[in-house]
Amino acid sequence: MSAAYATFGLAPAMRAGGVRADGGYQLHRDFTDFVVDGRPLLFQLADLDAVSPLASDVPPAIFTAQVRSLLLESAAPLPGNRYVVYGCPECEDLACGAVTAVIEHDGDDYVWREFAWQTGEHADLELNGYHGLGPFRFRGPEYRAALGALLAESGPPPGRRVLLIGARVALLAKLAAALRAIGIGADITRDADGVPAEELRGYGAVAFGPAAGEAERTAVRQAFERAGVDVAYVDGLAPIVPLLVAQIEHALDRSPLLQRRLARLVAADGTAGIEVTSPCRVRVTAYRLDRLSRPRAHELFDGVLEPGRHRIPLDGKAAKGPSYVVARTSGSVLVRATVR
């Protein structure tokens, strides 16, 4: 078997959750993605909404079993030496569809080949194969070191939690409920004084409600600084729950900037400017408060964009502002206030 060597690595990634304009929810999932030749393998599968088996919310024993399986220390879970590379982010059921590949040894090398979309016990390569993808040959030491590091860390990274700070308890309660519904833990408090450092380390972000005062914000930041915890801070743009959820999702994104599909968003002069790094479905939504302070949402765009920069017209009300634009792909979210 011959194939040029490819580099193998791992990187943090997420499947962005959120509150849809119709009130529905999309589950948030943190996972470790495979990076082949410096680029996430998931990006080479067009617009696929999926996660790897190395998800942060699986029990440690299952996470370890998944890693050892990829190291070929246990039998393949599917016939023909096939392994699940990406699965459904909502239920991980093979019946929903999964990307599988043959993973095998060739001497000291590891080879991934014959990628396919699979919904049953056997893959139909002719009908559902990812022709032109792979094979990838990885050097054994590099491959084992990357996956072995996950075992040395004693399991998956901790799940993400958010600390909500503010005086408007009703709004924060709705926000916390929405975050929990998509799989993000959320706690509400007025300050972080006296909270043990080990507890503060469980938070990935702190979100300040629009009513949070400057003194409250400063006290919270100082509490995290004293604990030596590096956390992302979110200043709520407006009391609109789906908008605040999107801001928090953006703050929780741990993936390297150069490995994100959604690279740029600006909202000015009546248009939303978007830059994507690989073909993907992008949904653009505008949010605003009407004259009675009721939240309004308007879907501006929902379609597949090719790599490059694109301009999406804002509707008349969103262009006049004050309003906010959210752009999201399956793996990333960006939020901007419109500028006139």
Side-chain angles (χ1 to χ4, degrees):
M1 181 186 303
S2 62
Y5 279 110
T7 62
F8 180 85
L10 301 169
M14 76 174 188
R15 188 269 189 139
V19 181
R20 301 190 183 98
D22 61 5
Y25 295 98
Q26 178 171 294
L27 190 64
H28 172 100
R29 299 291 302 280
D30 289 305
F31 65 99
T32 298
D33 199 7
F34 309 110
V35 180
V36 178
D37 285 335
R39 186 166 179 251
L41 180 60
L42 187 59
F43 290 10
Q44 301 184 48
L45 299 169
D47 183 42
L48 182 65
D49 183 13
V51 300
S52 82
L54 306 177
S56 67
D57 54 358
V58 301
I62 295 178
F63 184 88
T64 297
Q66 295 284 10
V67 175
R68 295 197 180 282
S69 178
L70 294 170
L71 288 167
L72 305 184
E73 295 179 5
S74 58
L78 298 170
N81 283 339
R82 301 196 73 83
Y83 294 77
V84 173
V85 179
Y86 294 107
C88 173
E90 298 286 343
C91 68
E92 301 179 69
D93 190 332
L94 183 62
C96 290
V99 177
T100 67
V102 174
I103 302 179
E104 58 190 8
H105 280 300
D106 185 22
D108 191 44
D109 299 336
Y110 290 79
V111 177
W112 290 25
R113 62 182 179 85
E114 296 182 7
F115 291 84
W117 178 254
Q118 190 167 342
T119 57
E121 186 176 6
H122 298 280
D124 186 333
L125 292 177
E126 183 175 348
L127 182 64
N128 296 317
Y130 285 94
H131 306 292
L133 180 64
F136 300 116
R137 176 183 292 272
F138 306 116
R139 290 181 173 85
E142 178 185 59
Y143 184 91
R144 288 189 292 270
L147 289 169
L150 297 179
L151 298 177
E153 295 168 0
S154 301
R160 289 294 181 177
R161 297 186 65 80
V162 179
L163 189 61
L164 307 179
I165 308 290
R168 297 181 62 175
V169 177
L171 171 65
L172 295 182
K174 292 179 181 179
L175 176 57
L179 290 169
R180 292 166 187 154
I182 65 174
I184 298 175
D187 300 306
I188 302 172
T189 186
R190 289 295 297 269
D191 60 63
D193 288 340
V195 180
E198 57 270 20
E199 186 173 337
L200 294 180
R201 293 190 185 98
Y203 294 102
V206 174
F208 296 110
E214 189 58 38
E216 292 175 290
R217 296 167 188 253
T218 300
V220 169
R221 293 176 189 271
Q222 290 175 345
F224 276 88
E225 288 174 2
R226 287 194 300 269
V229 180
D230 184 17
V231 68
Y233 294 99
V234 177
D235 291 315
L237 289 172
I240 303 173
V241 170
L243 176 68
L244 295 171
V245 169
Q247 283 189 263
I248 291 170
E249 282 283 270
H250 179 202
L252 291 175
D253 193 348
R254 299 171 297 127
S255 61
L257 291 175
L258 296 178
Q259 295 179 7
R260 299 184 188 182
R261 275 180 164 156
L262 192 55
R264 178 175 174 268
L265 170 66
V266 295
D269 301 323
T271 62
I274 298 172
E275 182 178 357
V276 296
T277 60
S278 64
C280 59
R281 179 186 177 188
V282 178
R283 297 190 300 277
V284 183
T285 308
Y287 294 95
R288 64 181 179 85
L289 294 172
D290 65 14
R291 293 181 179 179
L292 298 178
S293 296
R294 295 173 299 190
R296 300 297 184 188
H298 181 65
E299 294 285 354
L300 301 178
F301 178 81
D302 186 349
V304 176
L305 296 179
E306 294 298 316
R309 294 188 176 185
H310 306 268
R311 297 174 68 85
I312 307 297
L314 300 177
D315 70 316
K317 292 181 179 179
K320 294 178 181 179
S323 60
Y324 313 91
V325 177
V326 175
R328 64 171 62 244
T329 67
S330 61
S332 56
V333 181
L334 290 177
V335 183
R336 292 289 183 270
T338 57
V339 178
R340 289 185 290 170

